[in-house]
Amino acid sequence: MRASVTVRVPGSTSNLGAGFDCVGVAVGRWLRVTARTARASAGPPVIVERRGSLRALDVPPEADLVYRGFVAACRRAGRPEDAPKPLMLTLESEIPVARGLGSSAAASVAGAVAANALLDLGLDQAALAAVCAELEGHADNVAPAIYGGATLVLPGAGPDRGGREGRGGQGGLVITPLIVHESLALVFAIPDFTVETKRARAVLPPMVPHAQAVAAAAKSAALVHGLAHADAPLLGAALDDVLHVPYRRSLVAGYDEVTGAAREAGAYGATLSGSGPTLVAIAPRERATAIADAMVRAWRGRGIAAESFHVGRPAGGYEAA
Ligand code: HSE
């Protein structure tokens, strides 16, 4: 067993409109975790120090998703007793919490990756993805946090089809990299309020009419082709989602104004990042700064403070050292 390991895991945006629950993109805002062993003691099993965006997080250390990811990986490797006691975790995050930027997925991935490296568990990326998706519940955020780039997750796709680079078959997940055209930027505006994913899922209807499902399927295909080719009409259609955004937009004050401002400033479209409240626009790179400013201004017009950032190339996946 090593004495310590440091991992960094990217945040992610998911859905991108019509890619609901299946498309995610790694975003270069990072969670850094150092896991260390300490002299064995009869005290608590884990001691957590939180910095950055996690400073105010009020979760008991044993319920922290980083620790739960660590324990889940040990269990998956058949070594549930091997987690050091106490485990010392130092967490430092640039990923805003409960804003739709994959902070929970990053936390569970960081814990699992730290365990894998610290204890030499021998889990491959597909196994890590399966463990974290099961724990955190959102494979569309877990996949880009592990593999980096843009990913498509087919859940429940049947027996193990793993073995190809960038794909995982364990747990029935098939994970495939998606192409993002080099001219595209993702522009994010993050308001100063939160929306818990649990609440954003509770507003979704249990069923949708068949015609709506047909439109959703077409828009989802439009997203994949639109991302690969920077196709303006397809991206516009894809970002105008019919499966989740219509039910969730009322949770995000200013949704219509901010997405409208993004389009007026030259975005192909804009939508919720994950389950919100962060809004993401897809745009030609050269328009990114103007669009970010327009989105923040539109929110300010509603009396809501917001910050923005934009990225070109998607981030890579986790790193461990
Ligand atoms: N796809 C999930 C949702 C992501 O939109 O509910 C949650 O982070």
Side-chain angles (χ1 to χ4, degrees):
M1 179 168 48
R2 291 164 59 175
S4 90
V5 65
T6 297
V7 308
R8 70 169 200 159
V9 181
S12 52
T13 182
S14 62
N15 302 331
L16 288 180
F20 180 59
D21 274 359
C22 59
V23 171
V25 182
V27 170
R29 288 228 161 169
W30 298 87
L31 165 65
R32 288 180 185 75
V33 171
T34 299
R36 283 177 287 122
T37 58
R39 195 193 302 262
S41 82
V46 58
I47 296 167
V48 178
E49 185 189 348
R50 300 188 180 106
R51 299 181 190 152
S53 65
L54 299 173
R55 201 188 304 265
L57 197 66
D58 186 22
V59 173
E62 285 170 60
D64 193 297
L65 268 170
V66 176
Y67 181 62
R68 292 174 62 203
F70 194 102
V71 171
C74 293
R75 213 180 298 124
R76 173 74 179 220
R79 293 169 52 185
E81 303 303 325
D82 284 4
K85 292 184 190 65
L87 176 68
M88 316 284 287
L89 293 175
T90 305
L91 323 180
E92 173 145 23
S93 187
E94 306 164 349
I95 310 170
V97 175
R99 298 295 219 291
L101 285 164
S103 64
S104 305
S108 60
V109 169
V113 169
N116 202 32
L118 195 70
L119 304 173
D120 205 9
L121 297 177
L123 299 176
D124 63 12
Q125 288 184 313
L128 290 168
V131 166
C132 296
E134 191 182 326
L135 171 65
E136 197 268 337
H138 301 294
D140 50 343
N141 286 111
V142 165
I146 289 182
Y147 293 97
T151 50
L152 170 68
V153 179
L154 289 182
D160 192 342
R161 296 173 50 198
R164 282 177 58 181
E165 184 65 27
R167 291 193 174 211
Q170 299 192 46
L173 295 179
V174 175
I175 300 172
T176 303
L178 294 178
I179 296 165
V180 178
H181 196 273
E182 62 183 12
S183 70
L184 294 177
L186 297 179
V187 184
F188 296 90
I190 312 167
D192 69 351
F193 62 88
T194 60
V195 171
E196 295 293 339
T197 300
K198 207 170 153 189
R199 184 159 164 246
R201 293 198 83 85
V203 299
L204 300 178
M207 285 190 276
V208 295
H210 195 265
Q212 197 173 328
V214 170
K219 284 170 177 278
S220 161
L223 176 63
V224 172
H225 193 86
L227 282 175
H229 298 278
D231 183 304
L234 290 185
L235 286 171
L239 290 162
D240 181 23
D241 166 75
V242 294
L243 209 48
H244 67 114
V245 174
Y247 310 102
R248 289 173 157 177
R249 71 203 307 161
S250 62
L251 301 177
V252 179
Y255 179 90
D256 289 343
E257 293 92 326
V258 177
T259 54
R263 284 189 297 271
E264 268 168 41
Y268 298 125
T271 187
L272 297 172
S273 174
S275 56
T278 295
L279 298 180
V280 56
I282 303 183
R285 272 188 196 208
E286 64 275 12
R287 297 298 304 156
T289 304
I291 291 165
D293 291 348
M295 293 170 85
V296 168
R297 252 197 326 274
W299 244 323
R300 204 181 302 131
R302 286 284 308 251
I304 296 169
E307 57 169 305
S308 67
F309 70 99
H310 56 87
V311 295
R313 208 178 286 279
Y318 72 81
E319 291 166 15

